[in-house]
Amino acid sequence: MAFEVTFELKESDLDHFRDVMRKAQAGAKQLSEVDILANAKSLSQDIKVEVPAFVSERIAKLSILIAMIEDDEWKIPEEERADVLSALAYFSDPEDLVPDHIPVLGFLDDAIMIELVAEELKEDIDAFEEFCAYREREEGRSGDATVTREEWLDSKRRELHSRMRNRRSTRRSGRSSFRSIF
């Protein structure tokens, strides 16, 4: 039997999560990119224990954010790289809203934060996933030997980077954004 629970985060709720994110980012300022990534990876590995599906589904999104930074062929633009790292900084804070050792609820705040971040970085994530699918499709294709791997990846990468910025700016016009913390 499945049971659906939905809730709405009002602007005051989002303000609370923005404040938590700002505090986590301030605390992570002394951390390097390597440390931030390691902490996010550690959280994603820690959560692979017995957790509800709604948490594990969000952890998959966290893994995508990490992959966006680590994928050398994606070459994420600096502004977007800073946004993703800024979002991942939250997961470097050992003192998050609900302590992770509390069964079931311990990762609830992490799941909510991942969902908020993933929604704000949706265009970036969609573009990255399309790039990965394109790369995988093209790797198996044999064709014009004069076009190098870097050339066909660069062409697609530029197209997707441009598209994600355009979609993000269009989507943001006229609505509140969690992204204001980045």
Side-chain angles (χ1 to χ4, degrees):
M1 172 177 99
F3 185 77
E4 183 176 331
V5 176
T6 60
F7 56 92
E8 179 181 331
L9 295 177
K10 298 192 179 340
E11 193 61 35
S12 60
D13 300 321
L14 291 175
D15 286 342
H16 175 75
F17 277 96
R18 285 182 191 112
D19 185 52
V20 169
M21 179 64 90
R22 279 188 205 98
K23 288 177 183 170
Q25 290 168 335
K29 283 199 188 294
Q30 75 278 4
L31 297 177
S32 70
E33 179 177 311
V34 171
D35 292 333
I36 291 171
L37 289 170
N39 291 335
K41 284 180 188 177
S42 176
L43 175 70
S44 69
Q45 291 166 352
D46 291 348
I47 294 182
K48 292 198 178 173
V49 296
E50 299 260 339
V51 294
F54 72 88
V55 173
S56 60
E57 289 166 9
R58 271 64 191 182
I59 292 306
K61 293 178 182 182
L62 180 63
S63 297
I64 292 168
L65 294 172
I66 294 166
M68 289 171 66
I69 297 295
E70 293 183 327
D71 189 326
D72 293 333
E73 291 180 323
W74 176 233
K75 298 181 183 178
I76 188 170
E78 281 307 311
E79 180 182 344
E80 286 76 11
R81 179 183 204 83
D83 287 350
V84 173
L85 285 168
S86 184
L88 292 174
Y90 171 82
F91 305 102
S92 292
D93 185 2
E95 300 297 321
D96 55 9
L97 292 172
V98 182
D100 293 341
H101 68 275
I102 297 176
V104 181
L105 297 177
F107 294 114
L108 181 60
D109 59 323
D110 297 316
I112 291 170
M113 189 62 80
I114 292 168
E115 191 61 32
L116 291 170
V117 166
E119 178 61 26
E120 285 305 315
L121 297 173
K122 181 176 180 1
E123 287 77 18
D124 304 53
I125 292 168
D126 289 348
F128 176 67
E129 288 178 326
E130 184 175 330
F131 177 80
C132 291
Y134 172 80
R135 176 174 52 195
E136 189 173 318
R137 267 190 326 271
E138 293 299 311
E139 283 174 336
R141 198 179 278 190
S142 62
D144 186 355
T146 61
V147 178
T148 67
R149 175 185 178 90
E150 182 54 35
E151 288 170 334
W152 56 260
L153 283 177
D154 185 55
S155 173
K156 188 65 169 181
R157 182 177 39 245
R158 281 186 282 119
E159 170 196 334
L160 291 169
H161 286 176
S162 175
R163 189 180 76 199
M164 73 185 184
R165 285 186 176 136
N166 290 337
R167 286 183 177 173
R168 187 181 329 119
S169 65
T170 300
R171 185 172 73 113
R172 270 199 236 141
S173 56
R175 78 167 184 95
S176 176
S177 173
F178 186 72
R179 193 179 188 114
S180 63
I181 58 159
F182 301 140

